[in-house]
Amino acid sequence: METTLRGVGVSHGVAIGEVRHMGTAVLEPPARQIPAEEAEREQGRARQAVEAVAADLMARGNLAGGEAQAVLEAQALMAQDPELIADVDRRIAVGSTAERAVYDAFAAYRDLLAGAGEYLAGRVADLDDVRNRIVARLLGVPMPGVPDSDEPYVLVARDLAPADTALLDPTLVLGFVTEEGGPTSHSAILARALGVPAVVALPGAVELAEGTVIAVDGSTGEIFVNPGEEKKAQLEASAAERKAALASATGPGATSDGHKVPLLANIGGPADVAAALAAGAEGVGLFRTEFLFLDDSKSAPSEEKQVETYRQVLEAFPEGRVVVRVLDAGADKPLDFLTPADEPNPALGVRGLRTLLEHPEVLRTQLSALAKAAEGLPVYLEVMAPMVADRTDAKAFADACRAAGLRAKFGAMVEIPSAALRARSVLQEVEFLSLGTNDLAQYTFAADRQVGAVSRLQDPWQPALLDLVAIATEAARAEGKSCGVCGEAASDPMLACVLTGLGVTSLSMGAASLPYVRATLAKYTLAQCERAAAAARAADSADEARAAAQAVLSGE
């Protein structure tokens, strides 16, 4: 029987296929005693399994690169923790099997993390994944993770761990459905990067039976279980219509009456440039330079290495605009040589610009490298600071840019509500603003962007978030300066129209979203976008805002 479920659509498109679940968590090994003479052999088995899992995680990280590499390397270090290994040895010495000793040692460590404050408690899932991999190897059962399949499928999981998703094959994974996560979670960002439809925060997703045929609409968040032929045909026709609209929309971003809205790409480094160019990006609206630093969390990359990396990106956009965000370290992107290890709540501590101002030599080197990389190129370089709270922060960054001899526009990211509320003050020191809607939502609603239980508060359609966007754009207009959006909100085509109506001057997103946004913007006038924005702001919830904007744009 056909039924309909609803989660949060986070990556556009339609996928129809059979459900394949992530490998299930390893069952608890039986507790049994071993003879004393077997202890040394069991200790050897445990060590071999630990080293094999650590090596596998490191190899996956090397292949994936970027942020996934840093996360996987951290998991490998968890597996090799000397105290954990010593605890495993002790448990085996008093009679446990290797697999039971690993299970119990990790359980004890897990309890310590769970009670050690919010940030460390957030690492429990990573620890569980490492434990499951080691125990699976010892038991000789399939490793938990992405299913083996020769046929394309829809991947269903409680959530997607970096170790599982870093090397996914998009020719086999038709789409994602997860029970956890939100619009700005790693699962959502990965789906958009791969260009596959995805729905997150779907209650009961893991209860979908293996092999069940489902249709995933990544735009609406709907899941159709056992869809009939008529529903399949309807969805496929809708997908074909969208594809045709995408193909017909080319050139610079603009509304139907010619109001220009530059469409830019979010990238992590030179490897992302080709996809951005293929999608028709008019430049780069967010160059996340932290991925270069995450290659080695023990020390900063040399100025020479930074110059080489930055120049590769700048050369790809002659006469184009490239907005570089200086290092955003801290919180979920810790670096051993920069970020303190004992912060009780790193998301509210020393991160972003705060970190750089405490380590001025790191900021000075990065700004100098950007200046050298841009020498002799016709590119329009703009450099912005993350986590700017007020005018004092903005001035400190602008002063550092000038001291480094940087010939570029200096800007500030608006990710903290105070920066939006006092945007006109901030703009006395910098030349542009860029709204990071992911963190702005997180800090506005006190809602962790990785926690599915609060996903409704991470929804960029929340009217309070739209109010903050409007405050920032009005301040920029009053100062005769620009205010773009580089958060994931820009990748929602209808919300892109609302943001345009709020006065946003450019939109930056993952390359896969650019054609959808370009095609949708081209259907409406600026006046329609402004009316849709006003309707959305007048609503009381994200769902009401979305529906109100849709009603305006569809002429209802």
Side-chain angles (χ1 to χ4, degrees), residues 11-257:
S11 184
H12 304 291
V14 171
I16 302 174
E18 292 187 1
V19 167
R20 293 286 182 273
H21 285 275
M22 296 286 285
T24 56
V26 177
L27 296 176
E28 181 178 346
R32 66 181 181 84
Q33 289 292 110
I34 60 169
E37 60 269 20
E38 291 184 18
E40 188 174 344
R41 180 180 68 85
E42 288 295 286
Q43 288 170 340
R45 286 182 63 228
R47 283 198 177 91
Q48 287 177 356
V50 165
E51 291 304 319
V53 167
D56 177 61
L57 290 168
M58 292 290 283
R60 287 169 180 256
N62 288 333
L63 286 170
E67 189 171 13
Q69 181 174 3
V71 175
L72 294 175
E73 287 177 354
Q75 281 192 290
L77 291 174
M78 278 184 178
Q80 296 170 307
D81 184 279
E83 290 188 19
L84 264 174
I85 293 172
D87 192 14
V88 170
D89 282 346
R90 283 193 296 271
R91 292 172 188 274
I92 292 174
V94 296
S96 283
T97 61
E99 50 267 29
R100 185 70 206 193
V102 167
Y103 187 90
D104 289 340
F106 271 76
Y109 194 33
R110 186 187 199 279
D111 290 341
L112 286 174
L113 283 184
E118 183 180 351
Y119 178 68
L120 289 178
R123 309 279 73 77
V124 165
D126 289 349
L127 187 71
D128 288 347
D129 185 52
V130 173
R131 176 203 65 198
N132 291 346
R133 290 172 184 278
I134 298 172
V135 173
R137 188 170 288 275
L138 287 165
L139 291 175
V141 299
M143 195 70 67
V146 177
D148 289 327
S149 176
D150 294 328
E151 297 297 323
Y153 59 89
V154 176
L155 182 61
V156 176
R158 189 168 300 281
D159 206 348
L160 297 174
D164 299 318
T165 54
L167 304 176
L168 279 180
D169 182 352
T171 63
L172 285 176
V173 180
L174 299 172
F176 298 164
V177 179
T178 67
E179 191 158 313
E180 298 293 329
T184 62
S185 66
H186 286 138
S187 305
I189 293 171
L190 176 69
R192 287 189 284 268
L194 290 174
V196 297
V199 172
V200 302
L202 178 73
V206 296
E207 296 169 17
L208 291 167
E210 186 85 2
T212 302
V213 175
I214 63 173
V216 180
D217 190 326
S219 299
T220 66
E222 291 174 305
I223 303 292
F224 303 95
V225 183
N226 295 314
E229 293 305 315
E230 184 178 347
K231 174 60 71 175
K232 287 182 184 177
Q234 177 186 339
L235 289 169
E236 287 168 350
S238 176
E241 184 180 328
R242 288 179 193 160
K243 189 173 181 180
L246 296 181
S248 64
T250 58
T255 58
S256 63
D257 55 341

Side-chain angles (χ1 to χ4, degrees), residues 231-428:
K231 174 60 71 175
K232 287 182 184 177
Q234 177 186 339
L235 289 169
E236 287 168 350
S238 176
E241 184 180 328
R242 288 179 193 160
K243 189 173 181 180
L246 296 181
S248 64
T250 58
T255 58
S256 63
D257 55 341
H259 175 72
K260 292 183 179 180
V261 187
L263 301 181
L264 313 170
N266 294 345
I267 69 168
D272 298 331
V273 166
L277 291 171
E282 297 169 58
V284 172
L286 174 61
F287 180 179
R288 301 182 179 97
T289 59
E290 60 267 21
F291 293 132
L292 176 60
F293 288 76
L294 287 167
D295 285 345
D296 178 7
S297 69
K298 304 294 183 186
S299 62
S302 68
E303 182 175 314
E304 292 73 19
K305 182 177 180 180
Q306 291 189 56
V307 170
E308 179 186 355
T309 302
Y310 303 150
R311 195 168 180 90
Q312 287 181 55
V313 173
L314 297 176
E315 287 177 334
F317 294 94
E319 305 292 342
R321 178 186 179 200
V322 175
V323 184
V324 178
R325 179 176 70 190
V326 294
L327 175 62
D328 183 14
D332 60 341
K333 295 174 288 233
L335 293 172
D336 293 346
F337 68 96
L338 278 184
T339 45
D342 57 352
E343 281 194 299
N345 192 342
L348 297 179
V350 182
R351 64 166 292 196
L353 181 62
R354 299 168 186 175
T355 301
L356 294 174
L357 294 178
E358 286 201 356
H359 299 270
E361 72 286 353
V362 175
L363 177 58
R364 185 166 51 247
T365 300
Q366 184 171 24
L367 294 174
S368 175
L370 284 165
K372 291 178 181 177
E375 284 179 3
L377 296 180
V379 68
Y380 296 96
L381 175 63
E382 301 184 10
V383 182
M384 63 186 180
M387 300 299 292
V388 170
D390 55 16
R391 182 173 179 173
T392 300
D393 279 350
K395 183 178 188 306
F397 177 65
D399 287 346
C401 289
R402 282 188 283 268
L406 191 62
R407 294 184 178 179
K409 283 188 175 181
F410 318 142
M413 289 199 70
V414 177
E415 301 162 286
I416 302 173
S418 61
L421 294 169
R422 299 289 294 170
R424 196 157 184 180
S425 173
V426 170
L427 283 166
Q428 302 309 303

